[in-house]
Amino acid sequence: MMLLLQNGLNPARSTAFFNHVQAQLQSNGVAVDVVDQTDLATQPLERYELVVSNLVIPQPCRLRAPCYGAVQTDRSCGLRLLARCGLPVMPWALARTPHQVRSLFDLWAAERLLLKRSGSFGGTGVTAFTRAGLDQLTWDPDRDLFCPELNPASGDVYKAEVFGGEVVMSFRSASPPLHASMTGPVQHGVPGIYGTRTLLTFPDPLQTDLRRLASELHRLGAGHCSIDFMQDSRGDFQAIEINGGFVALWWTQQHDIFCHRMGGILERMVRECGRTARAAA
């Protein structure tokens, strides 16, 4: 059994994780090669039962071996996928004009709105603003979305990490509310989830919906994905985004359960792919 792992997203910060998984699998009889930002098209992919990357895998490579990698979609497409899988999703809207954006303040009875740009990550593409700051904004009306601040009293973020059709782990990241850092009508960039993290298990039926989403992402050839939630003012969880393109493994390295679970899922996947290949031979 042979597995190829690509550590292509900031390799230095994820080396410890990949070394751990490689040792875990090799001790169980699975040969593992690890490459970093090497072009996968130059690799002998046909010799592997499974190829997994945290970068986007080109379609020609996917035709040469079973592949699971990063997926990048517009924010609205990601939220629609979450809703199709039964997850509760935050209110959101696309808007073409400032007038349409102003109407969203009234629709959601919101003091502040968020502009979330597609193709961004780590909070860099998120702008918080009040009515007074609207004239300072530019956005892509087809790709960037607007949403309300779900709970002005809390900035806590809850994350579910999914891979291989399973929920790997979930955790809470304690963060200050938005108003604690917003000093004017516009704040460009909202800090990502870098607070103290605590493991958690989401309640049913949310956990069941997450497993359904994990299965669908696996069917689509997605690798490690992360789903962000916040609680609204009533305490109900609302999904705010899915991260499938720049999912940082070091977010979860402080929890040993993540390494062990990922290693176990990878072993299951490579053995399943091996059985499928033998049956087709």
Side-chain angles (χ1 to χ4, degrees):
M1 308 297 297
M2 295 195 66
L3 166 66
L4 178 63
L5 296 177
Q6 184 178 36
N7 175 16
L9 180 63
N10 201 331
R13 296 191 68 181
S14 296
T15 296
F17 166 80
F18 280 88
N19 287 345
H20 177 100
V21 169
Q22 184 179 35
Q24 179 179 337
L25 268 65
Q26 289 185 160
S27 68
N28 291 333
V30 178
V32 181
D33 291 334
V34 179
V35 297
D36 50 27
Q37 295 170 325
T38 303
D39 183 357
L40 286 182
T42 66
Q43 299 297 305
L45 303 183
E46 292 81 2
R47 64 186 292 218
Y48 297 100
E49 275 80 17
L50 178 65
V51 177
V52 175
S53 174
N54 52 18
L55 297 179
V56 175
I57 299 177
Q59 185 59 30
C61 293
R62 290 182 176 271
L63 299 176
R64 297 167 54 196
C67 293
Y68 295 87
V71 291
Q72 293 178 286
T73 63
D74 290 348
R75 289 183 182 272
S76 60
C77 293
L79 291 175
R80 290 188 181 103
L81 172 62
L82 296 177
R84 286 200 304 272
C85 290
L87 292 162
V89 174
M90 67 175 184
W92 64 275
L94 300 175
R96 306 201 72 85
T97 67
H99 174 74
Q100 291 176 335
V101 178
R102 289 190 190 94
S103 70
L104 296 176
F105 282 98
D106 297 326
L107 175 65
W108 294 323
E111 180 181 346
R112 288 174 289 269
L113 297 184
L114 299 177
L115 165 61
K116 306 185 80 170
R117 296 176 175 85
S118 291
S120 63
F121 62 98
T124 57
V126 179
T127 298
F129 64 98
T130 64
R131 291 177 188 264
L134 176 56
D135 292 341
Q136 301 180 39
L137 302 184
T138 60
W139 67 91
D140 183 336
D142 296 314
R143 302 185 65 232
D144 304 336
L145 62 82
F146 295 88
C147 65
E149 183 182 14
L150 280 179
N151 184 358
S154 175
D156 291 354
V157 177
Y158 301 80
K159 294 184 72 71
E161 311 286 324
V162 301
F163 174 69
E166 300 185 34
V167 180
V168 184
M169 62 171 287
S170 305
F171 64 92
R172 167 182 173 265
S173 176
S175 303
L178 181 59
H179 66 77
S181 60
M182 190 170 179
T183 57
V186 175
Q187 177 176 310
H188 296 290
V190 175
I193 57 147
Y194 304 118
T196 301
R197 300 171 197 136
T198 307
L199 289 173
L200 65 88
T201 299
F202 285 105
D204 277 326
L206 185 54
Q207 188 74 6
T208 299
D209 294 336
L210 281 168
R211 287 193 289 267
R212 184 184 304 113
L213 172 67
S215 296
E216 177 63 8
L217 289 167
H218 185 63
R219 185 187 69 81
L220 295 173
H224 174 206
C225 295
S226 180
I227 299 88
D228 291 2
F229 296 85
M230 295 186 78
Q231 287 182 308
D232 61 23
S233 56
R234 298 171 300 182
D236 295 329
F237 287 106
Q238 302 281 339
I240 62 173
E241 65 182 21
I242 179 171
N243 303 289
F246 297 94
V247 184
L249 291 170
W250 58 86
W251 285 348
T252 45
Q253 280 183 348
Q254 60 186 283
H255 298 299
D256 290 341
I257 186 177
F258 180 75
C259 290
H260 293 308
R261 287 276 291 150
M262 287 289 281
I265 294 170
L266 282 166
E267 181 177 350
R268 172 184 58 76
M269 289 172 62
V270 72
R271 295 191 185 281
E272 287 176 351
C273 287
R275 287 193 293 269
T276 299
R278 289 192 295 274

